[in-house]
Amino acid sequence: MSEDKDPIILVDGSSYLYRAYHALPPLTRKSDGLPVGAVSGFCNMLNRYIEDNNRPDGPTHVAVIFDHSSHSFRNDIFDGYKANRPPAPEDLVPQFPLTREATKAFNIACEEMEGFEADDMIATLACQARDAGGRVTIISSDKDLMQLVGDGIEMYDAMKNKRIDREGVFEKFGVYPDRVIDVQSLAGDSVDNIPGVPGIGKKTAAALLEHFGNLKNIYLNIDNLSDINVRGSKTIKSKLNEHSEKLEVSRKLTAIYCDIETEDIDSELNLKAVDLEGVTKLFDSLQIGTALRKQAERISEKRK
């Protein structure tokens, strides 16, 4: 898909469906009350971004990547992984398959893989494209994906209309993308229930890495922690020694895998004309209105 260095867009579908759900007021189908607001908001975002990028150097390959389920190989590593997350809202659940239907109706590749999270598949496709010389934009604000940024890969937060490059990653973590895994491993993540090392936050983790370079060097120089300007260096040393096994597990949970085996889906990522008949049929059945169909018609004309 990237032999000609075509620009590639990979959309974090699961993340943006949730964001659309929480950002927009509820919307239901008038005939029976079926929730459709998140589907409508997701499609608006998708259409707007693709339409806005319809230029000579705009995207020629697009895929929307979803989580296959709530269980991945990370749950097998640590059964507490994401255990503190509440179940999906009841009125969002029926919109999962509808969003996939809408994505396919717009003739955009819709991908997921059992046993892996969307992040891993996004990473695999992005790294494959980058290694072949392609340019990749990941539409997501997921902090875990920031470890991929650089060398032809950038992120775009569509909700904030903000691009995230290497400097944007540094602004977020205090380190550049190649050290994001180490910061997250040390600091943990309460959202995903990644343990980390208790008592070490992002700022302390970043300070340690700035001075020592990586996790291995931190442990090789654990008797020299007082050499850097961090509060409670004796306590930090004790915590690092006490929780080294937790740190190892945290790193496995935090790392995004770029080498999962995928079928050859390159041709599926080609940006094709919208299936106007399919879009019309779907949106009529959802009773969303005419605005999205008009957007689809404009995009379809531009893709010809």
Side-chain angles (χ1 to χ4, degrees), residues 236-289:
I236 292 173
K237 174 183 175 180
S238 174
K239 295 284 188 181
L240 286 168
N241 282 325
E242 181 182 354
H243 298 284
S244 59
E245 290 185 5
K246 283 186 179 180
L247 183 59
E248 184 178 348
V249 170
S250 296
R251 203 173 200 286
K252 290 179 180 178
L253 298 175
T254 299
I256 294 178
Y257 290 81
C258 299
D259 55 357
I260 63 175
E261 293 185 10
T262 60
E263 296 180 4
D264 184 8
I265 61 171
D266 290 1
S267 61
E268 296 180 26
L269 271 60
N270 289 324
L271 195 56
K272 308 175 184 70
V274 174
D275 176 9
L276 289 176
E277 183 178 351
V279 169
T280 300
K281 182 178 180 181
L282 176 63
F283 288 163
D284 281 347
S285 70
L286 297 179
Q287 299 171 12
I288 289 178

Side-chain angles (χ1 to χ4, degrees), residues 18 49 52 105 132 149 168 202 205 207 220 225 248 254 298:
Y18 269 90
Y49 189 75
D52 289 346
V149 170
K202 282 198 306 183
L220 287 174
L225 296 186
E248 184 178 348
T254 299
R298 289 197 300 270

Side-chain angles (χ1 to χ4, degrees), residues 10 12 65-67 72-74 81 113 115-128 142 144-145 147-148 252-262:
L10 302 174
D12 185 354
I65 317 298
F66 291 97
D67 290 319
S72 76
F73 72 92
R74 291 179 178 85
Y81 179 64
M113 180 169 288
F116 293 92
E117 296 181 53
D119 288 357
D120 300 304
M121 194 162 190
I122 289 172
T124 295
L125 294 174
C127 291
Q128 287 175 353
D142 189 336
D144 296 332
L145 290 167
Q147 59 192 259
L148 301 172
K252 290 179 180 178
L253 298 175
T254 299
I256 294 178
Y257 290 81
C258 299
D259 55 357
I260 63 175
E261 293 185 10
T262 60

